[in-house]
Amino acid sequence: MELEQYKKEFTEDDAVGWLEIDKEFERLYPNQEPKHFAPAISYMLGGEHPLDGVSYYESKNQEDHYHFITYGFSELYYNEEKADGEFSKWGFELTFRLKPYEADSGNPSWAVALLQNIAKYVFDSGNWFEEFHYMPANGPIRLDTETDITALIFVNDLEVPKKQTPHGEVSFLQIVGITSAEYENIKENPERVEELVNKLKENNPLLITDLNRKD
């Protein structure tokens, strides 16, 4: 979006990028108020959590699951210098689909901590993610949990397409939990990530992470 158009459409009070994210999820979950987690102290004011927030919605697509979305990898607020960029900040936000886990008692706050930890890695290292990237979680993705899910792969979220925002392009990358054996296999054969994704999709098209899943 050209600067003059940007200044005409928005004011300094507008959370321009945040609203773009909300539009996508309001389309998916009309009339649903998400659960939202915001850090007590924002990163800009010296807080330890880079993301300004994480929300999750309750989805009934495929099966009941939580659908998380981050706020902070892309440019969220009015900023004339960022208008008409190629990419909005890092150029993506993360999503995560989680099958309810009994021990969470309906409060999967650990997933918010997981997303914030990924954000710390990105903000500290300057490395970003793209589809078919992968990373270890250095243990169970839910701490102190007996689960085989110990690593993550990144895919494009099937229900949230890449979009052009006033600050540039934003992709919605979904993190998907994978087992230790699956991770070791793709670490040795990186060209097989897409093959693994397609195999997982056969029984799980939306790639919902299930902490009880075995190899």
Side-chain angles (χ1 to χ4, degrees), residues 194-209:
E194 188 172 2
E195 185 183 315
L196 171 61
V197 169
N198 289 334
K199 181 180 164 220
L200 292 173
K201 278 183 178 175
E202 287 172 12
N203 298 315
N204 180 11
L206 288 178
L207 296 171
I208 298 164
T209 295

PDB file of all heavy atoms in Angstrom, residues 194-209:
ATOM      1  N   GLU A 194       8.608 -32.950   3.116  1.00  0.00           N
ATOM      2  CA  GLU A 194       7.318 -32.862   2.431  1.00  0.00           C
ATOM      3  C   GLU A 194       6.642 -34.229   2.386  1.00  0.00           C
ATOM      4  O   GLU A 194       5.415 -34.346   2.539  1.00  0.00           O
ATOM      5  CB  GLU A 194       7.494 -32.297   1.023  1.00  0.00           C
ATOM      6  CG  GLU A 194       6.179 -31.995   0.344  1.00  0.00           C
ATOM      7  CD  GLU A 194       6.340 -31.247  -0.971  1.00  0.00           C
ATOM      8  OE1 GLU A 194       7.493 -30.975  -1.396  1.00  0.00           O
ATOM      9  OE2 GLU A 194       5.302 -30.945  -1.580  1.00  0.00           O
ATOM     10  N   GLU A 195       7.445 -35.262   2.209  1.00  0.00           N
ATOM     11  CA  GLU A 195       6.914 -36.635   2.193  1.00  0.00           C
ATOM     12  C   GLU A 195       6.268 -36.972   3.546  1.00  0.00           C
ATOM     13  O   GLU A 195       5.181 -37.549   3.609  1.00  0.00           O
ATOM     14  CB  GLU A 195       8.083 -37.593   1.904  1.00  0.00           C
ATOM     15  CG  GLU A 195       7.704 -39.030   1.726  1.00  0.00           C
ATOM     16  CD  GLU A 195       8.964 -39.892   1.514  1.00  0.00           C
ATOM     17  OE1 GLU A 195       9.852 -39.495   0.731  1.00  0.00           O
ATOM     18  OE2 GLU A 195       9.035 -40.948   2.165  1.00  0.00           O
ATOM     19  N   LEU A 196       6.937 -36.574   4.642  1.00  0.00           N
ATOM     20  CA  LEU A 196       6.379 -36.811   5.979  1.00  0.00           C
ATOM     21  C   LEU A 196       5.066 -36.047   6.154  1.00  0.00           C
ATOM     22  O   LEU A 196       4.081 -36.592   6.664  1.00  0.00           O
ATOM     23  CB  LEU A 196       7.385 -36.384   7.052  1.00  0.00           C
ATOM     24  CG  LEU A 196       6.854 -36.364   8.492  1.00  0.00           C
ATOM     25  CD1 LEU A 196       6.386 -37.749   8.935  1.00  0.00           C
ATOM     26  CD2 LEU A 196       7.911 -35.818   9.457  1.00  0.00           C
ATOM     27  N   VAL A 197       5.051 -34.791   5.713  1.00  0.00           N
ATOM     28  CA  VAL A 197       3.838 -33.973   5.830  1.00  0.00           C
ATOM     29  C   VAL A 197       2.681 -34.651   5.092  1.00  0.00           C
ATOM     30  O   VAL A 197       1.568 -34.767   5.625  1.00  0.00           O
ATOM     31  CB  VAL A 197       4.082 -32.550   5.281  1.00  0.00           C
ATOM     32  CG1 VAL A 197       2.770 -31.784   5.141  1.00  0.00           C
ATOM     33  CG2 VAL A 197       5.045 -31.793   6.203  1.00  0.00           C
ATOM     34  N   ASN A 198       2.934 -35.115   3.884  1.00  0.00           N
ATOM     35  CA  ASN A 198       1.871 -35.757   3.088  1.00  0.00           C
ATOM     36  C   ASN A 198       1.386 -37.050   3.747  1.00  0.00           C
ATOM     37  O   ASN A 198       0.197 -37.359   3.715  1.00  0.00           O
ATOM     38  CB  ASN A 198       2.361 -36.025   1.671  1.00  0.00           C
ATOM     39  CG  ASN A 198       2.505 -34.738   0.871  1.00  0.00           C
ATOM     40  OD1 ASN A 198       1.827 -33.749   1.147  1.00  0.00           O
ATOM     41  ND2 ASN A 198       3.400 -34.730  -0.102  1.00  0.00           N
ATOM     42  N   LYS A 199       2.322 -37.769   4.362  1.00  0.00           N
ATOM     43  CA  LYS A 199       1.944 -39.010   5.063  1.00  0.00           C
ATOM     44  C   LYS A 199       1.055 -38.683   6.262  1.00  0.00           C
ATOM     45  O   LYS A 199       0.030 -39.346   6.502  1.00  0.00           O
ATOM     46  CB  LYS A 199       3.215 -39.741   5.507  1.00  0.00           C
ATOM     47  CG  LYS A 199       2.947 -41.050   6.218  1.00  0.00           C
ATOM     48  CD  LYS A 199       4.257 -41.718   6.632  1.00  0.00           C
ATOM     49  CE  LYS A 199       3.978 -42.805   7.658  1.00  0.00           C
ATOM     50  NZ  LYS A 199       4.951 -42.879   8.738  1.00  0.00           N
ATOM     51  N   LEU A 200       1.414 -37.662   7.033  1.00  0.00           N
ATOM     52  CA  LEU A 200       0.621 -37.276   8.206  1.00  0.00           C
ATOM     53  C   LEU A 200      -0.779 -36.803   7.788  1.00  0.00           C
ATOM     54  O   LEU A 200      -1.769 -37.052   8.477  1.00  0.00           O
ATOM     55  CB  LEU A 200       1.330 -36.171   8.992  1.00  0.00           C
ATOM     56  CG  LEU A 200       2.637 -36.563   9.692  1.00  0.00           C
ATOM     57  CD1 LEU A 200       3.313 -35.331  10.277  1.00  0.00           C
ATOM     58  CD2 LEU A 200       2.384 -37.592  10.792  1.00  0.00           C
ATOM     59  N   LYS A 201      -0.846 -36.145   6.632  1.00  0.00           N
ATOM     60  CA  LYS A 201      -2.130 -35.604   6.159  1.00  0.00           C
ATOM     61  C   LYS A 201      -3.128 -36.695   5.760  1.00  0.00           C
ATOM     62  O   LYS A 201      -4.329 -36.446   5.714  1.00  0.00           O
ATOM     63  CB  LYS A 201      -1.901 -34.683   4.943  1.00  0.00           C
ATOM     64  CG  LYS A 201      -1.483 -33.268   5.306  1.00  0.00           C
ATOM     65  CD  LYS A 201      -1.359 -32.439   4.036  1.00  0.00           C
ATOM     66  CE  LYS A 201      -0.987 -30.994   4.361  1.00  0.00           C
ATOM     67  NZ  LYS A 201      -0.755 -30.224   3.122  1.00  0.00           N
ATOM     68  N   GLU A 202      -2.627 -37.893   5.474  1.00  0.00           N
ATOM     69  CA  GLU A 202      -3.533 -38.969   5.039  1.00  0.00           C
ATOM     70  C   GLU A 202      -4.638 -39.223   6.069  1.00  0.00           C
ATOM     71  O   GLU A 202      -5.793 -39.424   5.728  1.00  0.00           O
ATOM     72  CB  GLU A 202      -2.735 -40.257   4.779  1.00  0.00           C
ATOM     73  CG  GLU A 202      -1.904 -40.193   3.499  1.00  0.00           C
ATOM     74  CD  GLU A 202      -0.989 -41.397   3.361  1.00  0.00           C
ATOM     75  OE1 GLU A 202      -1.163 -42.378   4.138  1.00  0.00           O
ATOM     76  OE2 GLU A 202      -0.089 -41.364   2.489  1.00  0.00           O
ATOM     77  N   ASN A 203      -4.256 -39.226   7.352  1.00  0.00           N
ATOM     78  CA  ASN A 203      -5.244 -39.459   8.423  1.00  0.00           C
ATOM     79  C   ASN A 203      -5.566 -38.190   9.198  1.00  0.00           C
ATOM     80  O   ASN A 203      -6.404 -38.213  10.099  1.00  0.00           O
ATOM     81  CB  ASN A 203      -4.714 -40.513   9.412  1.00  0.00           C
ATOM     82  CG  ASN A 203      -4.500 -41.850   8.737  1.00  0.00           C
ATOM     83  OD1 ASN A 203      -5.350 -42.294   7.979  1.00  0.00           O
ATOM     84  ND2 ASN A 203      -3.360 -42.466   8.984  1.00  0.00           N
ATOM     85  N   ASN A 204      -4.877 -37.101   8.869  1.00  0.00           N
ATOM     86  CA  ASN A 204      -4.989 -35.888   9.676  1.00  0.00           C
ATOM     87  C   ASN A 204      -4.791 -34.671   8.768  1.00  0.00           C
ATOM     88  O   ASN A 204      -3.775 -34.001   8.818  1.00  0.00           O
ATOM     89  CB  ASN A 204      -3.916 -35.950  10.779  1.00  0.00           C
ATOM     90  CG  ASN A 204      -3.924 -34.755  11.702  1.00  0.00           C
ATOM     91  OD1 ASN A 204      -4.837 -33.936  11.688  1.00  0.00           O
ATOM     92  ND2 ASN A 204      -2.882 -34.626  12.511  1.00  0.00           N
ATOM     93  N   PRO A 205      -5.776 -34.399   7.877  1.00  0.00           N
ATOM     94  CA  PRO A 205      -5.583 -33.368   6.842  1.00  0.00           C
ATOM     95  C   PRO A 205      -5.211 -31.985   7.384  1.00  0.00           C
ATOM     96  O   PRO A 205      -4.442 -31.264   6.753  1.00  0.00           O
ATOM     97  CB  PRO A 205      -6.941 -33.327   6.126  1.00  0.00           C
ATOM     98  CG  PRO A 205      -7.597 -34.632   6.435  1.00  0.00           C
ATOM     99  CD  PRO A 205      -7.077 -35.065   7.759  1.00  0.00           C
ATOM    100  N   LEU A 206      -5.745 -31.622   8.563  1.00  0.00           N
ATOM    101  CA  LEU A 206      -5.442 -30.291   9.116  1.00  0.00           C
ATOM    102  C   LEU A 206      -4.174 -30.289   9.973  1.00  0.00           C
ATOM    103  O   LEU A 206      -3.784 -29.262  10.521  1.00  0.00           O
ATOM    104  CB  LEU A 206      -6.625 -29.771   9.945  1.00  0.00           C
ATOM    105  CG  LEU A 206      -7.862 -29.333   9.146  1.00  0.00           C
ATOM    106  CD1 LEU A 206      -8.971 -28.892  10.086  1.00  0.00           C
ATOM    107  CD2 LEU A 206      -7.519 -28.203   8.164  1.00  0.00           C
ATOM    108  N   LEU A 207      -3.540 -31.460  10.104  1.00  0.00           N
ATOM    109  CA  LEU A 207      -2.287 -31.592  10.860  1.00  0.00           C
ATOM    110  C   LEU A 207      -2.437 -31.080  12.291  1.00  0.00           C
ATOM    111  O   LEU A 207      -1.668 -30.255  12.777  1.00  0.00           O
ATOM    112  CB  LEU A 207      -1.141 -30.877  10.123  1.00  0.00           C
ATOM    113  CG  LEU A 207      -0.795 -31.487   8.759  1.00  0.00           C
ATOM    114  CD1 LEU A 207       0.179 -30.609   7.995  1.00  0.00           C
ATOM    115  CD2 LEU A 207      -0.218 -32.897   8.919  1.00  0.00           C
ATOM    116  N   ILE A 208      -3.463 -31.610  12.956  1.00  0.00           N
ATOM    117  CA  ILE A 208      -3.701 -31.291  14.362  1.00  0.00           C
ATOM    118  C   ILE A 208      -2.708 -32.075  15.207  1.00  0.00           C
ATOM    119  O   ILE A 208      -2.534 -33.284  15.030  1.00  0.00           O
ATOM    120  CB  ILE A 208      -5.148 -31.671  14.751  1.00  0.00           C
ATOM    121  CG1 ILE A 208      -6.146 -30.855  13.917  1.00  0.00           C
ATOM    122  CG2 ILE A 208      -5.383 -31.478  16.246  1.00  0.00           C
ATOM    123  CD1 ILE A 208      -7.563 -31.410  13.931  1.00  0.00           C
ATOM    124  N   THR A 209      -2.030 -31.394  16.112  1.00  0.00           N
ATOM    125  CA  THR A 209      -1.049 -32.067  16.972  1.00  0.00           C
ATOM    126  C   THR A 209      -1.768 -32.789  18.106  1.00  0.00           C
ATOM    127  O   THR A 209      -2.586 -32.206  18.818  1.00  0.00           O
ATOM    128  CB  THR A 209      -0.045 -31.044  17.537  1.00  0.00           C
ATOM    129  OG1 THR A 209       0.718 -30.494  16.454  1.00  0.00           O
ATOM    130  CG2 THR A 209       0.901 -31.690  18.543  1.00  0.00           C
TER     131      THR A 209
END
